Amino acid sequence: MTATSLPIYLDYAATTPVDHRVAEVMQRYLTVDQLFANPASRSHMLGWQAEQAVEQARRQVADTIGADPREIVWTSGATEADNLALIGYMRANRERGMHLVTSTIEHKAIVDTARALEHEGFEVSWLAPGADGCIQPAQLRDAMRDDTALVSLMAVNNELGSINDIAALAAVAHEFGAAFHCDAAQAVGRIELSVAAQQVDLMSLSGHKAYGPKGVGALYVKRHPDMRIEPLIHGGGHERGMRSGTLPTHQIAGMGEAFKLIQQQHAEDQARIIQLQQRFLKGLEGLEGVYANTPLGQSVPNILNLAFEGVDGESLLMGLRDVAVSTGSACNSASVDPSYVLLGIGVPRRLALSSIRFSFGRFTTEADIDHAITLIRHAVSGLRA
Ligand SMILES: *Cc1c(COP(=O)(O)O)cnc(C)c1O
């Protein structure tokens, strides 16, 4: 297959390609002539060298969010980090309270974990966002109780691109003596993150949403005498007992390099992506019945969720074979369910089923946008005719 026959990739919110510079770093930690050793091996130099690579990556990830390296726990991704934050914290803090607050439009890694906690006897309050996809601090205040142990709200929504005011929400949680967890998988490189300034106690991160590899992530765990997390994975006591298992040096070094590049390139990437988003929206001007589900102006510029009235989203996906995008709908054997996130912000079912998420990134070009616009206009007019 030649490069020109590849679809235009506008699905950066699902995953990003690994930056070439990251792939190069990862290759240093695999083969016999390189630093392949177990970073937990204390008895030889090869082990120490692998450990050094892991610790450098830990600093790079910590620096990106304004944390101390000792506050980073490596995981297999943001899904595991979300599980560890919610289950690990709630189980370890039963005497603080059995109540958890989250929202209806969190990522499945939070929604399904919170449901599992309900089955375990914990109580969950599900906040409903406004049409802008955001949770208001006053709303959170109303849901807080004496027995609320933890609040979990995401920084950037993966389907909408909406941005929560994390600092304000964390302040409310702390007013009531609860800890604050934030799923920041979509936020790295898109908004400024500082666990110190935003007063976040637990933060989930993913490698592959930020030009790093899949299969690696981290949980930031604030260093505090009161901070207790029960591990989900038991074994050799790695990661200060919170997550056992031999550390994947190449994955971790890759995530570290990716986050270092985010620090260097965040501003430049964002400036370009804002231009691309404007070019995309301008290109769709004049096409009737197109509505933004994304709260434009209060969202990250790399995610655009649009409804195409009168066009079935799945048919549109078929019509857009040469553009890699997603609907956010879930397919069952018999039917297609509209996205729970779109329903969650009050989008009517009919429009939710006509919606597509376009997401851009570091390697998207103006030519990609222009080509995609042509294909979208063609497909939408064809399906409406
Ligand atoms: C992608 C994503 C996750 C899951 O991350 P993995 O590293 O793929 O497990 C969790 N939360 C949000 C908001 C995401 O976008």
Side-chain angles (χ1 to χ4, degrees), residues 7 26 60 77 79 116 119 125 133 135 160 176 180 196 200 216 231 235 243 252 261 282 289 294 307 321 357 359 368:
M26 292 177 70
Q60 290 166 326
T79 299
H119 290 301
S125 291
I135 299 297
L160 299 167
F176 290 82
F180 188 81
V200 171
V216 65
R243 206 284 193 176
I252 288 170
L261 293 173
K282 202 159 167 38
T294 294
R321 259 175 292 101
R357 177 187 69 186
S359 48
D368 289 339

Side-chain angles (χ1 to χ4, degrees), residues 31-246:
T31 55
V32 68
D33 48 340
Q34 296 198 305
L35 300 175
F36 67 89
N38 188 329
S41 294
R42 293 283 151 78
S43 53
H44 50 73
M45 200 173 73
L46 294 172
W48 309 334
Q49 286 172 330
E51 188 193 17
Q52 274 177 10
V54 167
E55 294 315 310
Q56 172 174 304
R58 204 186 293 279
R59 277 193 300 279
Q60 290 166 326
V61 168
D63 282 350
T64 310
I65 60 164
D68 184 287
R70 290 170 294 182
E71 298 175 311
I72 300 298
V73 174
W74 298 117
T75 65
S76 61
T79 299
E80 187 189 330
D82 285 346
N83 274 262
L84 182 57
L86 266 55
I87 299 174
Y89 191 86
M90 293 306 286
R91 282 186 187 163
N93 291 277
R94 286 174 198 270
E95 80 289 351
R96 258 200 186 187
M98 297 286 284
H99 182 227
L100 165 73
V101 181
T102 186
S103 91
T104 54
I105 64 162
E106 298 297 304
H107 190 274
K108 281 280 182 188
I110 294 291
V111 171
D112 287 358
T113 304
R115 284 208 193 107
L117 283 168
E118 284 181 323
H119 290 301
E120 218 176 285
F122 293 95
E123 232 187 291
V124 179
S125 291
W126 299 93
L127 300 177
D132 61 358
C134 293
I135 299 297
Q136 298 306 322
Q139 222 186 322
L140 175 58
R141 185 170 286 112
D142 288 343
M144 296 301 292
R145 310 193 317 210
D146 289 344
D147 64 340
T148 309
L150 182 66
V151 174
S152 176
L153 294 167
M154 69 205 313
V156 172
N157 184 275
N158 48 298
E159 284 193 40
L160 299 167
S162 51
I163 304 169
N164 268 326
D165 185 345
I166 288 308
L169 295 166
V172 174
H174 293 148
E175 238 178 78
F176 290 82
F180 188 81
H181 168 253
C182 176
D183 179 340
Q186 292 286 344
V188 173
R190 279 102 201 180
I191 62 170
E192 288 298 333
L193 289 173
S194 162
V195 289
Q198 293 163 325
Q199 287 291 298
V200 171
D201 304 298
L202 297 158
M203 181 179 275
S204 299
L205 303 167
S206 176
H208 76 99
K209 304 287 174 72
Y211 310 100
K214 299 169 188 50
V216 65
L219 181 65
Y220 154 80
V221 181
K222 188 190 176 112
R223 271 166 69 86
H224 190 278
D226 278 356
M227 178 52 79
R228 286 189 310 278
I229 294 275
E230 226 180 82
L232 299 178
I233 297 177
H234 304 272
H238 308 71
E239 299 300 280
R240 287 175 291 122
M242 280 183 269
R243 206 284 193 176
S244 288
T246 300

Side-chain angles (χ1 to χ4, degrees), residues 367-382:
D368 289 339
I369 298 290
D370 295 347
H371 192 188
I373 291 292
T374 307
L375 295 172
I376 294 163
R377 285 181 160 278
H378 184 258
V380 170
S381 330

